Amino acid sequence: MVLKCVKKIVTVQCASIMRRDNRYHPGFVLMCLAVVVVVIFMLGIWQDTLATQKPPTPSPLSVNPLYPSTLPLLNLPDFAYLINNDVCDGSVFTVVVIHSHPANREVRDTLRRNIPNNDLKDLSMRRVFLLARAEWDDQELYQQTPQWRISEENAEHHDIIQGNFKEHYHNLTYKHVMGLQWVTRYCSQAKYIIKMDDDIAVDLYQFRDKLKYKYSDKRNTIMGLLQIEAKPVRNKTSKWYVNEEEYAGKYYASFISGWAYAMTTDAAKAIVEESFKWPYFWIDDVHVTGTLAQRAGVKREGLNRFYTIHIDHLHCCLDLPNSSDYYCDFLAGPSEGDLDLLAKVLSHARSCYINPCQRRPLERSVSRVCVRAKGGPLAPQGPGRGEIIRVTRLSQLVDILSSSRI
């Protein structure tokens, strides 16, 4: 089309000049013809060049930063977020990441009601719940959870981070590293991460104050319930059985319990980087805050005196005389699935945040005067896991006792 237009223009111009001069000099005619030929030749070369060139590739549409097309997670080749949220706007001191099963909607709502987002924002804190997929009805104690329910919940609260792997206790390490990796990518301005399980009653108000005013200078550190010389469970009937191929050592590296701990963000970055260098191990707190932290040079510090393993201690925090005037002695303790207790402990913590409470005198501490408790105060370096197992042989009982720290 362009060639035809140029040819016509040159021809018309030559004819116009010849009519104006009222002459048809042979030399002039030949010159006009030569010009036309040269123009046609040059335009032909130009068109051939364009035809052989590939059309320019259009720029791709912008990828949503919350849903990157490639994002490795340990040894998962196709990891992706099913749900992600940008909650870390503005100044953030601490981000709280909570491990939760998709079926635990009621537990999450209890946490949301009793420690509301407005309080957290006032304290420069943010909170997200870490979930995986649970469309399958194959897990004891948990119900099948269709994806539309999770999406519906997130549409209401915008606080869920969900990976595309299956929800299972053997996949908890994926969830654990996903949470740390999410913070380093989407909330990197935070000084601290508080990681917790949704069935642990955690006084986030007191925890934040300790991090802010007592431990603000910490670097490359994890602080929480420190476990030392915990042994792998070699009893094959145990849910926590670990064979020698999975973990060959006699003792686990010293680790921080995944119940509830605080980690500096620089430590999280180091652990995430280290996580790609070593084989997967499914006991998440052992692997993440123990093995990986040790290999990455991350310090682990025990705050064991602020934890309790006894649910009765939490009851006593609420039921002892004048309890409403006192902070609970513990930052964290197990609710054991009692949502009423969880709500009361968190409500009491919030009440002491709104109207500051007093510290209990040492002689009147909960661990000393709580008559409900079935055991003494927490051991200096904390307990291991405990569970009820049927024993069939005396030698089996010896193996169990030798591997327990209860």
Side-chain angles (χ1 to χ4, degrees):
M1 185 68 180
V2 173
L3 181 62
K4 289 181 180 179
C5 290
V6 173
K7 180 180 177 182
K8 185 175 182 180
I9 291 170
V10 173
T11 304
V12 169
Q13 289 298 319
C14 286
S16 171
I17 293 172
M18 287 186 291
R19 282 197 303 269
R20 185 185 63 199
D21 293 344
N22 194 21
R23 58 175 175 157
Y24 294 90
H25 191 280
F28 186 77
V29 172
L30 289 175
M31 185 183 70
C32 283
L33 291 174
V35 169
V36 171
V37 171
V38 170
V39 169
I40 292 172
F41 178 75
M42 295 302 296
L43 286 175
I45 295 175
W46 175 67
Q47 283 191 320
D48 289 343
T49 302
L50 289 179
T52 58
Q53 288 180 346
K54 293 182 179 179
T57 303
S59 299
L61 296 176
S62 297
V63 177
N64 189 322
L66 294 179
Y67 298 94
S69 56
T70 56
L71 183 66
L73 178 67
L74 297 171
N75 60 354
L76 294 180
D78 300 316
F79 169 73
Y81 292 114
L82 296 180
I83 297 175
N84 197 359
N85 285 282
D86 182 9
V87 303
C88 285
D89 55 309
S91 176
V92 180
F93 175 67
T94 303
V95 57
V96 183
V97 296
I98 303 175
H99 281 210
S100 185
H101 191 283
N104 288 356
R105 170 68 188 268
E106 193 174 358
V107 181
R108 293 189 290 275
D109 284 343
T110 298
L111 296 173
R112 290 173 179 129
R113 281 194 303 270
N114 290 280
I115 303 184
N117 275 329
N118 287 341
D119 286 4
L120 296 177
K121 287 191 175 183
D122 287 344
L123 295 168
S124 295
M125 301 176 75
R126 301 293 188 274
R127 172 178 57 205
V128 294
F129 295 93
L130 304 181
L131 278 62
R133 297 168 54 215
E135 296 97 337
W136 306 273
D137 190 15
D138 61 353
Q139 296 185 48
E140 187 179 356
L141 303 179
Y142 292 107
Q143 296 178 349
Q144 177 183 6
T145 309
Q147 186 60 30
W148 65 264
R149 289 185 182 172
I150 304 304
S151 299
E152 188 178 71
E153 178 183 353
N154 184 66
E156 181 179 354
H157 297 286
H158 304 286
D159 59 2
I160 289 175
I161 309 300
Q162 185 183 27
N164 63 345
F165 51 90
K166 186 175 183 179
E167 188 76 56
H168 193 275
Y169 72 97
H170 272 216
N171 287 344
L172 287 176
T173 298
Y174 290 126
K175 182 182 286 188
H176 202 145
V177 176
M178 178 182 76
L180 300 184
Q181 185 168 282
W182 179 87
V183 174
T184 62
R185 185 181 181 97
Y186 298 105
C187 204
S188 59
Q189 72 268 42
K191 162 69 176 177
Y192 271 108
I193 303 165
I194 293 179
K195 182 273 174 187
M196 56 177 282
D197 295 337
D198 65 0
D199 60 345
I200 303 299
V202 181
D203 186 341
L204 292 178
Y205 303 101
Q206 285 201 78
F207 210 156
R208 179 265 186 188
D209 282 354
K210 288 191 181 299
L211 298 178
K212 184 76 173 179
Y213 302 112
K214 189 171 183 179
Y215 303 113
S216 61
D217 60 340
K218 293 292 182 181
R219 298 289 185 275
N220 199 39
T221 303
I222 314 173
M223 296 180 290
L225 185 58
L226 180 63
Q227 308 287 293
I228 295 177
E229 293 187 352
K231 293 183 177 181
V233 176
R234 303 301 190 191
N235 175 19
K236 293 183 179 180
T237 64
S238 170
K239 175 182 178 180
W240 303 104
Y241 167 68
V242 174
N243 62 41
E244 284 80 2
E245 291 183 3
E246 293 177 300
Y247 196 96
K250 183 179 180 181
Y251 299 102
Y252 290 131
S254 298
F255 67 95
I256 301 291
S257 169
W259 274 12
Y261 67 70
M263 177 187 293
T264 56
T265 304
D266 59 346
K269 291 178 181 178
I271 288 173
V272 169
E273 290 177 4
E274 196 70 23
S275 69
F276 295 102
K277 303 175 184 178
W278 304 97
Y280 183 86
F281 184 64
W282 57 274
I283 301 182
D284 64 309
D285 47 6
V286 169
H287 189 58
V288 175
T289 70
T291 303
L292 294 181
Q294 179 172 285
R295 288 169 173 165
V298 174
K299 294 171 288 198
R300 286 141 290 166
E301 183 175 330
L303 302 180
N304 295 39
R305 64 189 181 279
F306 298 120
Y307 289 75
T308 179
I309 62 170
H310 304 296
I311 189 173
D312 298 286
H313 281 161
L314 298 183
H315 281 287
C316 287
C317 276
L318 303 171
D319 298 338
L320 287 173
N322 302 316
S323 288
S324 60
D325 297 331
Y326 295 102
Y327 291 105
C328 186
D329 289 354
F330 308 103
L331 293 178
S335 70
E336 297 183 1
D338 186 338
L339 288 185
D340 183 60
L341 175 64
L342 179 63
K344 287 180 178 178
V345 171
L346 299 182
S347 177
H348 174 75
R350 183 167 191 256
S351 178
C352 284
Y353 161 66
I354 296 171
N355 297 299
C357 296
Q358 307 173 51
R359 303 290 175 191
R360 292 180 185 274
L362 182 60
E363 65 275 7
R364 300 292 299 167
S365 66
V366 169
S367 58
R368 290 192 177 191
V369 302
C370 183
V371 296
R372 295 178 51 118
K374 299 176 179 61
L378 187 64
Q381 298 300 341
R385 289 182 173 87
E387 57 182 313
I388 298 174
I389 303 173
R390 178 178 294 177
V391 178
T392 57
R393 302 187 307 275
L394 180 60
S395 60
Q396 187 178 350
L397 176 60
V398 172
D399 289 342
I400 294 171
L401 292 177
S402 65
S403 63
S404 300
R405 300 189 69 247
I406 302 176

